[in-house]
Amino acid sequence: MITVHHLNNSRSQRILWMLEELGVAYEVKRYQRQPSMQAPQELRNVHPLGKSPVITDGDKVLAESGAILEYLSETYGEGKLTPAAGTPERLQYTYFMHYAEGSLMPLLFMKLVFDRIPSRVPFFMRPVARAISGGADKTLLAPQIGNHFMFLEGELSRREWFAGPDFTAADIQMSFPLEAASARAPAIRGMPRLKGFLDRIHSRPAYKRALEKGGAYDYAK
């Protein structure tokens, strides 16, 4: 039996969703973030980095969202949620499986860090912190994030899903950064293709079941 080591408000929600889409039996072991937002020590006992998602499947321990999604697809998918090898859709699939965490999510994480700096320093330093944070957002982060949003909006203007006409694991992988972006950079809600993508994934029965299994989820965390 697969065990999903599920940290609240984390990327592991995608793994629950993937398993629900595939109809694979699994169990959930829950972990709660500490006040520092870090994972508890118990999760480090499963994987040394103490990050989520992590799954155990027999004697296998797997971490990293993309690696887990690909493992589940290859091991249990029977051809579902992965385009056929050698097709244009497979190339798009591979790109977005890596793009989500390799290109988009680091920018969104940097924005979150800079946005929080003013509230994390002593009161007398906050004007300086706000100036630094605002400058970084205006000159560095906002332009790059906006460029990524325009790129993704354009991609979805050419096809319904990120890899092609069919829903795949690449869409599951892309869900977390786009949900985070919607919470942290509301401009995305004014982009009809991206908003439509979020509306479509949120209406999927497997997504709803995964949310019930994983519990309340705050995309802005």
Side-chain angles (χ1 to χ4, degrees):
M1 169 84 63
I2 295 170
T3 299
V4 180
H5 298 270
H6 178 60
L7 182 66
N8 66 304
N9 295 328
S10 78
R11 291 161 169 82
S12 59
Q13 188 66 38
R14 287 184 293 199
I15 309 307
L16 303 180
W17 180 17
M18 179 71 167
L19 288 163
E20 290 292 336
E21 291 281 358
L22 294 176
V24 175
Y26 65 96
E27 60 181 4
V28 180
K29 185 170 183 179
R30 298 175 183 273
Y31 302 81
Q32 197 70 20
R33 291 183 185 274
Q34 298 173 325
S36 65
M37 296 303 295
Q38 298 299 308
Q41 179 60 43
E42 290 83 358
L43 195 51
R44 293 182 184 275
N45 295 338
V46 180
H47 189 280
L49 293 180
K51 299 292 185 181
S52 185
V54 175
I55 69 167
T56 49
D57 186 11
D59 60 353
K60 302 182 185 73
V61 179
L62 290 91
E64 291 294 337
S65 300
I68 295 171
L69 293 179
E70 290 189 317
Y71 169 80
L72 293 175
S73 178
E74 292 169 4
T75 307
Y76 298 99
E78 299 179 349
K80 298 176 184 176
L81 303 184
T82 303
T87 62
E89 290 79 11
R90 183 60 171 266
L91 190 60
Q92 288 293 114
Y93 168 89
T94 301
Y95 174 76
F96 282 106
M97 287 293 285
H98 291 271
Y99 167 88
E101 294 292 340
S103 293
L104 183 56
M105 200 62 209
L107 284 172
L108 298 175
F109 180 73
M110 286 177 63
K111 179 174 174 55
L112 175 65
V113 170
F114 275 99
D115 285 350
R116 289 184 174 180
I117 285 175
S119 64
R120 302 296 177 91
V121 300
F123 180 79
F124 67 90
M125 294 179 61
R126 289 180 185 175
V128 174
R130 280 195 293 269
I132 294 172
S133 176
D137 186 49
K138 182 177 180 180
T139 62
L140 175 64
L141 297 175
Q144 289 197 52
I145 291 172
N147 189 43
H148 279 266
F149 288 173
M150 292 300 295
F151 163 68
L152 295 172
E153 183 78 358
E155 290 292 297
L156 290 177
S157 72
R158 290 187 282 275
R159 52 190 177 272
E160 184 174 7
W161 299 104
F162 279 106
D166 300 319
F167 176 82
T168 70
D171 299 297
I172 296 176
Q173 178 75 334
M174 285 293 294
S175 67
F176 184 86
L178 288 177
E179 287 171 328
S182 180
R184 299 170 191 168
I188 194 175
R189 299 172 201 161
M191 307 184 83
R193 304 288 181 175
L194 290 175
K195 182 180 182 301
F197 171 81
L198 292 172
D199 290 343
R200 289 195 302 278
I201 65 172
H202 293 162
S203 69
R204 293 183 71 85
Y207 180 97
K208 295 177 181 179
R209 292 195 301 271
L211 208 56
E212 292 172 0
K213 298 282 184 67
Y217 188 55
D218 187 346
Y219 305 119
K221 292 292 188 181

